[in-house]
Amino acid sequence: MKNITDLLQWRYATKRMTGKKIPSEKINKILEAAHLAPSGIGLQPYEIIVISNPELKKKILPIAMNQPQIVESSHLLVFAAWDEYTKERIDHVFDHLILKQDKKTDSYAKQRSFAKTFFGNMSIEENFHHAAKQANIALGLAIVAAASEGIDSTPMEGFDPIALDEFLKLSSKGLRSSMLLALGYRDQKNDWNLTLEKVRKPFEEFVTFL
């Protein structure tokens, strides 16, 4: 697999996994790819909770519609988006940026002000949906990074976010779960989806050139 197209042809929505553990160095590469994902105004309004504890995954199983990948995965990633773009959060991001780049304290003043005004004009629910869309960019890069390491993945939206947020106590961190990503190794004997042809809508229906 030499390029991204090969990787995307190889990967598929893995329905059954073996439970085999993924080496920590591979997990770290996947997480680093997500960490480097672009986001609106560079705010990175989300966090990733990495769950490898089997007992925790068993408790999440009924919250996620009893999908077997939850417990058969090596690691389960929970993408958790900010529940709100607060002024304090925005200041924290820009203060960190200025510190790391050794800039003057008034650097990025326009961007900082724009971010506070832009998100301040949104409802809290609009804030969350915007943050969740940013998290999905990182999710996509994590999927590709996993494939580059020979790791199978399954993005999952089939879960009760309110129950998961309560179980993981995400509200105490100002977060709400948006997506799950199961990482592991395909069970070649029991995964019915493995042998099916990968099908997408015709390219000419998918892309419009103007």
Side-chain angles (χ1 to χ4, degrees):
M1 295 179 287
K2 298 180 180 179
N3 57 52
I4 192 169
T5 303
D6 291 335
L7 295 174
L8 294 175
Q9 287 287 358
W10 175 81
R11 73 150 305 275
Y12 71 107
T14 310
K15 302 301 182 184
R16 301 298 303 267
M17 296 179 174
T18 64
K20 178 183 175 181
K21 290 299 179 184
I22 300 170
S24 58
E25 60 269 21
K26 289 182 179 287
I27 290 294
N28 289 337
K29 287 181 180 179
I30 295 168
L31 294 171
E32 185 60 21
H35 185 220
L36 291 171
S39 62
I41 321 178
L43 294 177
Q44 289 184 288
Y46 50 85
E47 297 179 19
I48 299 175
I49 293 88
V50 183
I51 301 172
S52 58
N53 184 308
E55 294 306 314
L56 288 180
K57 289 189 290 183
K58 285 180 183 178
K59 292 179 180 179
I60 293 173
L61 182 63
I63 296 174
M65 301 181 180
N66 292 308
Q67 297 176 81
Q69 304 97 312
I70 297 295
V71 292
E72 293 176 352
S73 65
S74 169
H75 292 70
L76 181 68
L77 308 189
V78 180
F79 285 75
W82 288 359
D83 58 1
E84 184 181 2
Y85 286 86
T86 64
K87 292 181 179 179
E88 292 76 15
R89 279 174 157 166
I90 292 170
D91 280 335
H92 180 73
V93 171
F94 280 103
D95 289 347
H96 176 70
L97 178 63
I98 289 168
L99 178 65
K100 296 298 289 184
Q101 294 185 344
D102 195 24
K103 297 283 188 180
K104 295 180 180 178
T105 55
D106 60 350
S107 299
Y108 300 107
K110 290 184 178 179
Q111 294 95 320
R112 189 193 297 250
S113 177
F114 170 78
K116 291 180 180 180
T117 301
F118 181 76
F119 294 111
N121 288 330
M122 291 182 179
S123 68
I124 292 178
E125 195 64 19
E126 287 172 330
N127 271 201
F128 167 69
H129 285 296
H130 185 281
K133 287 190 289 185
Q134 307 307 303
N136 279 347
I137 299 173
L139 174 79
L141 289 180
I143 289 170
V144 176
S148 74
E149 295 295 325
I151 304 299
D152 289 297
S153 64
T154 309
M156 309 169 78
E157 198 173 11
F159 65 96
D160 182 342
I162 295 175
L164 185 60
D165 293 353
E166 183 178 352
F167 176 68
L168 295 176
K169 297 179 173 57
L170 295 184
S171 62
S172 65
K173 300 180 67 177
L175 300 171
R176 291 169 58 183
S177 54
S178 59
M179 287 287 288
L180 303 178
L181 183 64
L183 298 172
Y185 296 96
R186 63 188 66 178
D187 184 341
Q188 299 191 45
K189 292 183 179 180
N190 296 305
D191 192 344
W192 56 266
N193 202 31
L194 173 59
T195 58
L196 297 181
E197 180 183 359
K198 184 186 292 288
V199 178
R200 298 291 186 269
K201 65 172 65 177
F203 190 78
E204 60 273 14
E205 293 182 14
F206 179 67
V207 177
T208 299
F209 294 98
L210 300 178

PDB file of all heavy atoms in Angstrom, residues 141-178:
ATOM      1  N   LEU A 141      -8.674  11.675   9.816  1.00  0.00           N
ATOM      2  CA  LEU A 141      -7.225  11.480   9.749  1.00  0.00           C
ATOM      3  C   LEU A 141      -6.790  10.283  10.593  1.00  0.00           C
ATOM      4  O   LEU A 141      -5.855   9.565  10.225  1.00  0.00           O
ATOM      5  CB  LEU A 141      -6.508  12.747  10.206  1.00  0.00           C
ATOM      6  CG  LEU A 141      -6.597  13.930   9.244  1.00  0.00           C
ATOM      7  CD1 LEU A 141      -5.859  15.139   9.805  1.00  0.00           C
ATOM      8  CD2 LEU A 141      -6.021  13.573   7.878  1.00  0.00           C
ATOM      9  N   ALA A 142      -7.465  10.067  11.706  1.00  0.00           N
ATOM     10  CA  ALA A 142      -7.141   8.896  12.534  1.00  0.00           C
ATOM     11  C   ALA A 142      -7.434   7.602  11.784  1.00  0.00           C
ATOM     12  O   ALA A 142      -6.679   6.623  11.883  1.00  0.00           O
ATOM     13  CB  ALA A 142      -7.933   8.949  13.846  1.00  0.00           C
ATOM     14  N   ILE A 143      -8.507   7.586  11.011  1.00  0.00           N
ATOM     15  CA  ILE A 143      -8.865   6.406  10.223  1.00  0.00           C
ATOM     16  C   ILE A 143      -7.788   6.102   9.187  1.00  0.00           C
ATOM     17  O   ILE A 143      -7.371   4.950   9.014  1.00  0.00           O
ATOM     18  CB  ILE A 143     -10.235   6.615   9.552  1.00  0.00           C
ATOM     19  CG1 ILE A 143     -11.353   6.583  10.603  1.00  0.00           C
ATOM     20  CG2 ILE A 143     -10.491   5.560   8.472  1.00  0.00           C
ATOM     21  CD1 ILE A 143     -12.703   7.018  10.082  1.00  0.00           C
ATOM     22  N   VAL A 144      -7.324   7.134   8.493  1.00  0.00           N
ATOM     23  CA  VAL A 144      -6.282   6.942   7.480  1.00  0.00           C
ATOM     24  C   VAL A 144      -4.967   6.533   8.141  1.00  0.00           C
ATOM     25  O   VAL A 144      -4.258   5.643   7.653  1.00  0.00           O
ATOM     26  CB  VAL A 144      -6.096   8.214   6.634  1.00  0.00           C
ATOM     27  CG1 VAL A 144      -4.947   8.043   5.647  1.00  0.00           C
ATOM     28  CG2 VAL A 144      -7.374   8.547   5.882  1.00  0.00           C
ATOM     29  N   ALA A 145      -4.642   7.170   9.246  1.00  0.00           N
ATOM     30  CA  ALA A 145      -3.406   6.827   9.956  1.00  0.00           C
ATOM     31  C   ALA A 145      -3.444   5.377  10.433  1.00  0.00           C
ATOM     32  O   ALA A 145      -2.431   4.669  10.379  1.00  0.00           O
ATOM     33  CB  ALA A 145      -3.200   7.770  11.134  1.00  0.00           C
ATOM     34  N   ALA A 146      -4.605   4.933  10.903  1.00  0.00           N
ATOM     35  CA  ALA A 146      -4.739   3.539  11.329  1.00  0.00           C
ATOM     36  C   ALA A 146      -4.474   2.594  10.162  1.00  0.00           C
ATOM     37  O   ALA A 146      -3.733   1.614  10.302  1.00  0.00           O
ATOM     38  CB  ALA A 146      -6.136   3.301  11.907  1.00  0.00           C
ATOM     39  N   ALA A 147      -5.063   2.898   9.021  1.00  0.00           N
ATOM     40  CA  ALA A 147      -4.852   2.055   7.841  1.00  0.00           C
ATOM     41  C   ALA A 147      -3.375   2.011   7.451  1.00  0.00           C
ATOM     42  O   ALA A 147      -2.864   0.961   7.045  1.00  0.00           O
ATOM     43  CB  ALA A 147      -5.693   2.566   6.674  1.00  0.00           C
ATOM     44  N   SER A 148      -2.695   3.131   7.595  1.00  0.00           N
ATOM     45  CA  SER A 148      -1.270   3.165   7.243  1.00  0.00           C
ATOM     46  C   SER A 148      -0.432   2.290   8.161  1.00  0.00           C
ATOM     47  O   SER A 148       0.678   1.881   7.811  1.00  0.00           O
ATOM     48  CB  SER A 148      -0.748   4.606   7.272  1.00  0.00           C
ATOM     49  OG  SER A 148      -0.605   5.072   8.603  1.00  0.00           O
ATOM     50  N   GLU A 149      -0.967   1.983   9.348  1.00  0.00           N
ATOM     51  CA  GLU A 149      -0.283   1.115  10.306  1.00  0.00           C
ATOM     52  C   GLU A 149      -0.810  -0.316  10.252  1.00  0.00           C
ATOM     53  O   GLU A 149      -0.438  -1.147  11.079  1.00  0.00           O
ATOM     54  CB  GLU A 149      -0.445   1.675  11.720  1.00  0.00           C
ATOM     55  CG  GLU A 149       0.225   3.018  11.956  1.00  0.00           C
ATOM     56  CD  GLU A 149       1.728   2.943  11.836  1.00  0.00           C
ATOM     57  OE1 GLU A 149       2.300   1.903  12.231  1.00  0.00           O
ATOM     58  OE2 GLU A 149       2.342   3.909  11.349  1.00  0.00           O
ATOM     59  N   GLY A 150      -1.703  -0.598   9.293  1.00  0.00           N
ATOM     60  CA  GLY A 150      -2.286  -1.936   9.190  1.00  0.00           C
ATOM     61  C   GLY A 150      -3.304  -2.223  10.273  1.00  0.00           C
ATOM     62  O   GLY A 150      -3.546  -3.380  10.628  1.00  0.00           O
ATOM     63  N   ILE A 151      -3.924  -1.161  10.792  1.00  0.00           N
ATOM     64  CA  ILE A 151      -4.900  -1.289  11.868  1.00  0.00           C
ATOM     65  C   ILE A 151      -6.301  -1.054  11.306  1.00  0.00           C
ATOM     66  O   ILE A 151      -6.533  -0.101  10.544  1.00  0.00           O
ATOM     67  CB  ILE A 151      -4.621  -0.264  12.988  1.00  0.00           C
ATOM     68  CG1 ILE A 151      -3.200  -0.421  13.521  1.00  0.00           C
ATOM     69  CG2 ILE A 151      -5.651  -0.385  14.102  1.00  0.00           C
ATOM     70  CD1 ILE A 151      -2.900  -1.768  14.117  1.00  0.00           C
ATOM     71  N   ASP A 152      -7.231  -1.899  11.674  1.00  0.00           N
ATOM     72  CA  ASP A 152      -8.614  -1.730  11.244  1.00  0.00           C
ATOM     73  C   ASP A 152      -9.328  -0.745  12.150  1.00  0.00           C
ATOM     74  O   ASP A 152      -8.966  -0.566  13.322  1.00  0.00           O
ATOM     75  CB  ASP A 152      -9.338  -3.075  11.256  1.00  0.00           C
ATOM     76  CG  ASP A 152      -8.856  -3.981  10.139  1.00  0.00           C
ATOM     77  OD1 ASP A 152      -9.043  -3.623   8.973  1.00  0.00           O
ATOM     78  OD2 ASP A 152      -8.274  -5.042  10.453  1.00  0.00           O
ATOM     79  N   SER A 153     -10.367  -0.115  11.594  1.00  0.00           N
ATOM     80  CA  SER A 153     -11.100   0.883  12.369  1.00  0.00           C
ATOM     81  C   SER A 153     -12.561   0.894  11.966  1.00  0.00           C
ATOM     82  O   SER A 153     -12.911   0.547  10.837  1.00  0.00           O
ATOM     83  CB  SER A 153     -10.492   2.269  12.155  1.00  0.00           C
ATOM     84  OG  SER A 153     -10.633   2.675  10.795  1.00  0.00           O
ATOM     85  N   THR A 154     -13.386   1.314  12.898  1.00  0.00           N
ATOM     86  CA  THR A 154     -14.811   1.457  12.640  1.00  0.00           C
ATOM     87  C   THR A 154     -15.315   2.736  13.297  1.00  0.00           C
ATOM     88  O   THR A 154     -15.389   2.802  14.528  1.00  0.00           O
ATOM     89  CB  THR A 154     -15.616   0.268  13.200  1.00  0.00           C
ATOM     90  OG1 THR A 154     -15.045  -0.954  12.752  1.00  0.00           O
ATOM     91  CG2 THR A 154     -17.068   0.341  12.747  1.00  0.00           C
ATOM     92  N   PRO A 155     -15.624   3.763  12.512  1.00  0.00           N
ATOM     93  CA  PRO A 155     -16.254   4.945  13.095  1.00  0.00           C
ATOM     94  C   PRO A 155     -17.691   4.626  13.465  1.00  0.00           C
ATOM     95  O   PRO A 155     -18.394   3.949  12.716  1.00  0.00           O
ATOM     96  CB  PRO A 155     -16.171   5.991  11.969  1.00  0.00           C
ATOM     97  CG  PRO A 155     -16.098   5.184  10.713  1.00  0.00           C
ATOM     98  CD  PRO A 155     -15.410   3.893  11.068  1.00  0.00           C
ATOM     99  N   MET A 156     -18.136   5.091  14.628  1.00  0.00           N
ATOM    100  CA  MET A 156     -19.438   4.689  15.144  1.00  0.00           C
ATOM    101  C   MET A 156     -20.184   5.887  15.724  1.00  0.00           C
ATOM    102  O   MET A 156     -19.672   6.592  16.588  1.00  0.00           O
ATOM    103  CB  MET A 156     -19.260   3.617  16.222  1.00  0.00           C
ATOM    104  CG  MET A 156     -18.383   2.456  15.790  1.00  0.00           C
ATOM    105  SD  MET A 156     -17.904   1.347  17.136  1.00  0.00           S
ATOM    106  CE  MET A 156     -19.410   0.413  17.313  1.00  0.00           C
ATOM    107  N   GLU A 157     -21.394   6.086  15.211  1.00  0.00           N
ATOM    108  CA  GLU A 157     -22.280   7.110  15.750  1.00  0.00           C
ATOM    109  C   GLU A 157     -23.482   6.474  16.442  1.00  0.00           C
ATOM    110  O   GLU A 157     -24.314   7.176  17.023  1.00  0.00           O
ATOM    111  CB  GLU A 157     -22.744   8.042  14.625  1.00  0.00           C
ATOM    112  CG  GLU A 157     -23.303   9.355  15.095  1.00  0.00           C
ATOM    113  CD  GLU A 157     -23.602  10.308  13.957  1.00  0.00           C
ATOM    114  OE1 GLU A 157     -23.580   9.877  12.782  1.00  0.00           O
ATOM    115  OE2 GLU A 157     -23.847  11.495  14.236  1.00  0.00           O
ATOM    116  N   GLY A 158     -23.552   5.142  16.403  1.00  0.00           N
ATOM    117  CA  GLY A 158     -24.670   4.426  17.000  1.00  0.00           C
ATOM    118  C   GLY A 158     -24.479   4.201  18.488  1.00  0.00           C
ATOM    119  O   GLY A 158     -24.128   3.099  18.933  1.00  0.00           O
ATOM    120  N   PHE A 159     -24.697   5.244  19.282  1.00  0.00           N
ATOM    121  CA  PHE A 159     -24.598   5.124  20.731  1.00  0.00           C
ATOM    122  C   PHE A 159     -25.440   6.226  21.362  1.00  0.00           C
ATOM    123  O   PHE A 159     -25.844   7.185  20.690  1.00  0.00           O
ATOM    124  CB  PHE A 159     -23.137   5.216  21.202  1.00  0.00           C
ATOM    125  CG  PHE A 159     -22.474   6.552  20.945  1.00  0.00           C
ATOM    126  CD1 PHE A 159     -22.419   7.520  21.926  1.00  0.00           C
ATOM    127  CD2 PHE A 159     -21.904   6.823  19.702  1.00  0.00           C
ATOM    128  CE1 PHE A 159     -21.811   8.745  21.696  1.00  0.00           C
ATOM    129  CE2 PHE A 159     -21.289   8.050  19.452  1.00  0.00           C
ATOM    130  CZ  PHE A 159     -21.245   9.007  20.448  1.00  0.00           C
ATOM    131  N   ASP A 160     -25.713   6.072  22.628  1.00  0.00           N
ATOM    132  CA  ASP A 160     -26.491   7.048  23.371  1.00  0.00           C
ATOM    133  C   ASP A 160     -25.526   8.085  23.959  1.00  0.00           C
ATOM    134  O   ASP A 160     -24.868   7.810  24.975  1.00  0.00           O
ATOM    135  CB  ASP A 160     -27.268   6.355  24.488  1.00  0.00           C
ATOM    136  CG  ASP A 160     -28.143   7.302  25.284  1.00  0.00           C
ATOM    137  OD1 ASP A 160     -27.921   8.521  25.227  1.00  0.00           O
ATOM    138  OD2 ASP A 160     -29.060   6.818  25.980  1.00  0.00           O
ATOM    139  N   PRO A 161     -25.418   9.257  23.341  1.00  0.00           N
ATOM    140  CA  PRO A 161     -24.422  10.216  23.804  1.00  0.00           C
ATOM    141  C   PRO A 161     -24.679  10.731  25.220  1.00  0.00           C
ATOM    142  O   PRO A 161     -23.723  10.993  25.957  1.00  0.00           O
ATOM    143  CB  PRO A 161     -24.502  11.346  22.770  1.00  0.00           C
ATOM    144  CG  PRO A 161     -25.855  11.222  22.159  1.00  0.00           C
ATOM    145  CD  PRO A 161     -26.182   9.770  22.187  1.00  0.00           C
ATOM    146  N   ILE A 162     -25.941  10.868  25.589  1.00  0.00           N
ATOM    147  CA  ILE A 162     -26.242  11.352  26.935  1.00  0.00           C
ATOM    148  C   ILE A 162     -25.769  10.344  27.981  1.00  0.00           C
ATOM    149  O   ILE A 162     -25.135  10.706  28.986  1.00  0.00           O
ATOM    150  CB  ILE A 162     -27.754  11.626  27.078  1.00  0.00           C
ATOM    151  CG1 ILE A 162     -28.182  12.773  26.148  1.00  0.00           C
ATOM    152  CG2 ILE A 162     -28.099  11.962  28.526  1.00  0.00           C
ATOM    153  CD1 ILE A 162     -29.670  13.039  26.141  1.00  0.00           C
ATOM    154  N   ALA A 163     -26.041   9.061  27.719  1.00  0.00           N
ATOM    155  CA  ALA A 163     -25.607   8.014  28.649  1.00  0.00           C
ATOM    156  C   ALA A 163     -24.091   7.896  28.695  1.00  0.00           C
ATOM    157  O   ALA A 163     -23.506   7.707  29.776  1.00  0.00           O
ATOM    158  CB  ALA A 163     -26.228   6.678  28.251  1.00  0.00           C
ATOM    159  N   LEU A 164     -23.445   8.014  27.538  1.00  0.00           N
ATOM    160  CA  LEU A 164     -21.981   7.909  27.507  1.00  0.00           C
ATOM    161  C   LEU A 164     -21.351   9.102  28.214  1.00  0.00           C
ATOM    162  O   LEU A 164     -20.379   8.941  28.962  1.00  0.00           O
ATOM    163  CB  LEU A 164     -21.484   7.818  26.064  1.00  0.00           C
ATOM    164  CG  LEU A 164     -19.983   7.591  25.906  1.00  0.00           C
ATOM    165  CD1 LEU A 164     -19.555   6.281  26.569  1.00  0.00           C
ATOM    166  CD2 LEU A 164     -19.578   7.586  24.434  1.00  0.00           C
ATOM    167  N   ASP A 165     -21.906  10.288  27.986  1.00  0.00           N
ATOM    168  CA  ASP A 165     -21.383  11.479  28.660  1.00  0.00           C
ATOM    169  C   ASP A 165     -21.478  11.330  30.178  1.00  0.00           C
ATOM    170  O   ASP A 165     -20.558  11.700  30.915  1.00  0.00           O
ATOM    171  CB  ASP A 165     -22.154  12.726  28.222  1.00  0.00           C
ATOM    172  CG  ASP A 165     -21.929  13.073  26.760  1.00  0.00           C
ATOM    173  OD1 ASP A 165     -21.076  12.439  26.121  1.00  0.00           O
ATOM    174  OD2 ASP A 165     -22.620  13.986  26.263  1.00  0.00           O
ATOM    175  N   GLU A 166     -22.590  10.772  30.626  1.00  0.00           N
ATOM    176  CA  GLU A 166     -22.775  10.571  32.066  1.00  0.00           C
ATOM    177  C   GLU A 166     -21.800   9.528  32.597  1.00  0.00           C
ATOM    178  O   GLU A 166     -21.192   9.708  33.659  1.00  0.00           O
ATOM    179  CB  GLU A 166     -24.214  10.141  32.343  1.00  0.00           C
ATOM    180  CG  GLU A 166     -24.528   9.963  33.825  1.00  0.00           C
ATOM    181  CD  GLU A 166     -25.984   9.580  34.069  1.00  0.00           C
ATOM    182  OE1 GLU A 166     -26.774   9.608  33.111  1.00  0.00           O
ATOM    183  OE2 GLU A 166     -26.306   9.249  35.226  1.00  0.00           O
ATOM    184  N   PHE A 167     -21.625   8.429  31.853  1.00  0.00           N
ATOM    185  CA  PHE A 167     -20.725   7.359  32.289  1.00  0.00           C
ATOM    186  C   PHE A 167     -19.286   7.855  32.396  1.00  0.00           C
ATOM    187  O   PHE A 167     -18.578   7.524  33.349  1.00  0.00           O
ATOM    188  CB  PHE A 167     -20.814   6.180  31.314  1.00  0.00           C
ATOM    189  CG  PHE A 167     -19.863   5.067  31.630  1.00  0.00           C
ATOM    190  CD1 PHE A 167     -20.017   4.282  32.767  1.00  0.00           C
ATOM    191  CD2 PHE A 167     -18.790   4.804  30.786  1.00  0.00           C
ATOM    192  CE1 PHE A 167     -19.124   3.263  33.067  1.00  0.00           C
ATOM    193  CE2 PHE A 167     -17.895   3.787  31.071  1.00  0.00           C
ATOM    194  CZ  PHE A 167     -18.063   3.016  32.215  1.00  0.00           C
ATOM    195  N   LEU A 168     -18.857   8.642  31.426  1.00  0.00           N
ATOM    196  CA  LEU A 168     -17.475   9.139  31.405  1.00  0.00           C
ATOM    197  C   LEU A 168     -17.318  10.474  32.132  1.00  0.00           C
ATOM    198  O   LEU A 168     -16.212  11.019  32.174  1.00  0.00           O
ATOM    199  CB  LEU A 168     -16.997   9.281  29.952  1.00  0.00           C
ATOM    200  CG  LEU A 168     -16.891   7.989  29.148  1.00  0.00           C
ATOM    201  CD1 LEU A 168     -16.500   8.289  27.698  1.00  0.00           C
ATOM    202  CD2 LEU A 168     -15.889   7.026  29.766  1.00  0.00           C
ATOM    203  N   LYS A 169     -18.419  11.000  32.667  1.00  0.00           N
ATOM    204  CA  LYS A 169     -18.408  12.269  33.396  1.00  0.00           C
ATOM    205  C   LYS A 169     -17.827  13.403  32.545  1.00  0.00           C
ATOM    206  O   LYS A 169     -17.014  14.222  33.020  1.00  0.00           O
ATOM    207  CB  LYS A 169     -17.636  12.124  34.715  1.00  0.00           C
ATOM    208  CG  LYS A 169     -18.267  11.127  35.680  1.00  0.00           C
ATOM    209  CD  LYS A 169     -17.459  11.002  36.962  1.00  0.00           C
ATOM    210  CE  LYS A 169     -18.172  10.145  38.010  1.00  0.00           C
ATOM    211  NZ  LYS A 169     -18.496   8.791  37.521  1.00  0.00           N
ATOM    212  N   LEU A 170     -18.242  13.432  31.288  1.00  0.00           N
ATOM    213  CA  LEU A 170     -17.694  14.426  30.361  1.00  0.00           C
ATOM    214  C   LEU A 170     -18.168  15.842  30.651  1.00  0.00           C
ATOM    215  O   LEU A 170     -17.448  16.808  30.385  1.00  0.00           O
ATOM    216  CB  LEU A 170     -18.050  14.047  28.918  1.00  0.00           C
ATOM    217  CG  LEU A 170     -17.433  12.748  28.384  1.00  0.00           C
ATOM    218  CD1 LEU A 170     -17.789  12.562  26.908  1.00  0.00           C
ATOM    219  CD2 LEU A 170     -15.917  12.751  28.554  1.00  0.00           C
ATOM    220  N   SER A 171     -19.356  15.970  31.212  1.00  0.00           N
ATOM    221  CA  SER A 171     -19.866  17.317  31.468  1.00  0.00           C
ATOM    222  C   SER A 171     -18.991  18.075  32.456  1.00  0.00           C
ATOM    223  O   SER A 171     -18.907  19.305  32.405  1.00  0.00           O
ATOM    224  CB  SER A 171     -21.305  17.251  31.981  1.00  0.00           C
ATOM    225  OG  SER A 171     -21.372  16.553  33.216  1.00  0.00           O
ATOM    226  N   SER A 172     -18.307  17.354  33.327  1.00  0.00           N
ATOM    227  CA  SER A 172     -17.418  18.011  34.300  1.00  0.00           C
ATOM    228  C   SER A 172     -16.215  18.650  33.609  1.00  0.00           C
ATOM    229  O   SER A 172     -15.560  19.527  34.193  1.00  0.00           O
ATOM    230  CB  SER A 172     -16.937  17.006  35.346  1.00  0.00           C
ATOM    231  OG  SER A 172     -16.110  16.003  34.759  1.00  0.00           O
ATOM    232  N   LYS A 173     -15.943  18.205  32.385  1.00  0.00           N
ATOM    233  CA  LYS A 173     -14.848  18.784  31.604  1.00  0.00           C
ATOM    234  C   LYS A 173     -15.367  19.708  30.510  1.00  0.00           C
ATOM    235  O   LYS A 173     -14.588  20.189  29.690  1.00  0.00           O
ATOM    236  CB  LYS A 173     -14.010  17.666  30.971  1.00  0.00           C
ATOM    237  CG  LYS A 173     -13.379  16.708  31.967  1.00  0.00           C
ATOM    238  CD  LYS A 173     -12.554  15.628  31.269  1.00  0.00           C
ATOM    239  CE  LYS A 173     -11.323  16.222  30.601  1.00  0.00           C
ATOM    240  NZ  LYS A 173     -10.468  15.183  29.978  1.00  0.00           N
ATOM    241  N   GLY A 174     -16.677  19.931  30.491  1.00  0.00           N
ATOM    242  CA  GLY A 174     -17.241  20.791  29.462  1.00  0.00           C
ATOM    243  C   GLY A 174     -17.219  20.146  28.091  1.00  0.00           C
ATOM    244  O   GLY A 174     -17.061  20.819  27.072  1.00  0.00           O
ATOM    245  N   LEU A 175     -17.406  18.812  28.057  1.00  0.00           N
ATOM    246  CA  LEU A 175     -17.334  18.054  26.814  1.00  0.00           C
ATOM    247  C   LEU A 175     -18.617  17.269  26.587  1.00  0.00           C
ATOM    248  O   LEU A 175     -19.334  16.944  27.529  1.00  0.00           O
ATOM    249  CB  LEU A 175     -16.151  17.078  26.838  1.00  0.00           C
ATOM    250  CG  LEU A 175     -14.758  17.668  26.995  1.00  0.00           C
ATOM    251  CD1 LEU A 175     -13.733  16.556  27.216  1.00  0.00           C
ATOM    252  CD2 LEU A 175     -14.372  18.503  25.768  1.00  0.00           C
ATOM    253  N   ARG A 176     -18.859  16.942  25.312  1.00  0.00           N
ATOM    254  CA  ARG A 176     -19.957  16.051  24.930  1.00  0.00           C
ATOM    255  C   ARG A 176     -19.438  15.087  23.882  1.00  0.00           C
ATOM    256  O   ARG A 176     -18.719  15.493  22.948  1.00  0.00           O
ATOM    257  CB  ARG A 176     -21.128  16.853  24.357  1.00  0.00           C
ATOM    258  CG  ARG A 176     -21.851  17.701  25.366  1.00  0.00           C
ATOM    259  CD  ARG A 176     -22.821  18.668  24.727  1.00  0.00           C
ATOM    260  NE  ARG A 176     -23.841  17.997  23.914  1.00  0.00           N
ATOM    261  CZ  ARG A 176     -24.772  18.652  23.207  1.00  0.00           C
ATOM    262  NH1 ARG A 176     -24.808  19.980  23.212  1.00  0.00           N
ATOM    263  NH2 ARG A 176     -25.662  17.981  22.501  1.00  0.00           N
ATOM    264  N   SER A 177     -19.755  13.813  24.007  1.00  0.00           N
ATOM    265  CA  SER A 177     -19.285  12.822  23.030  1.00  0.00           C
ATOM    266  C   SER A 177     -19.924  13.071  21.675  1.00  0.00           C
ATOM    267  O   SER A 177     -21.110  13.399  21.585  1.00  0.00           O
ATOM    268  CB  SER A 177     -19.598  11.412  23.519  1.00  0.00           C
ATOM    269  OG  SER A 177     -20.974  11.277  23.817  1.00  0.00           O
ATOM    270  N   SER A 178     -19.135  12.903  20.612  1.00  0.00           N
ATOM    271  CA  SER A 178     -19.651  13.120  19.260  1.00  0.00           C
ATOM    272  C   SER A 178     -19.527  11.877  18.385  1.00  0.00           C
ATOM    273  O   SER A 178     -20.441  11.568  17.617  1.00  0.00           O
ATOM    274  CB  SER A 178     -18.940  14.298  18.592  1.00  0.00           C
ATOM    275  OG  SER A 178     -17.541  14.085  18.518  1.00  0.00           O
TER     276      SER A 178
END
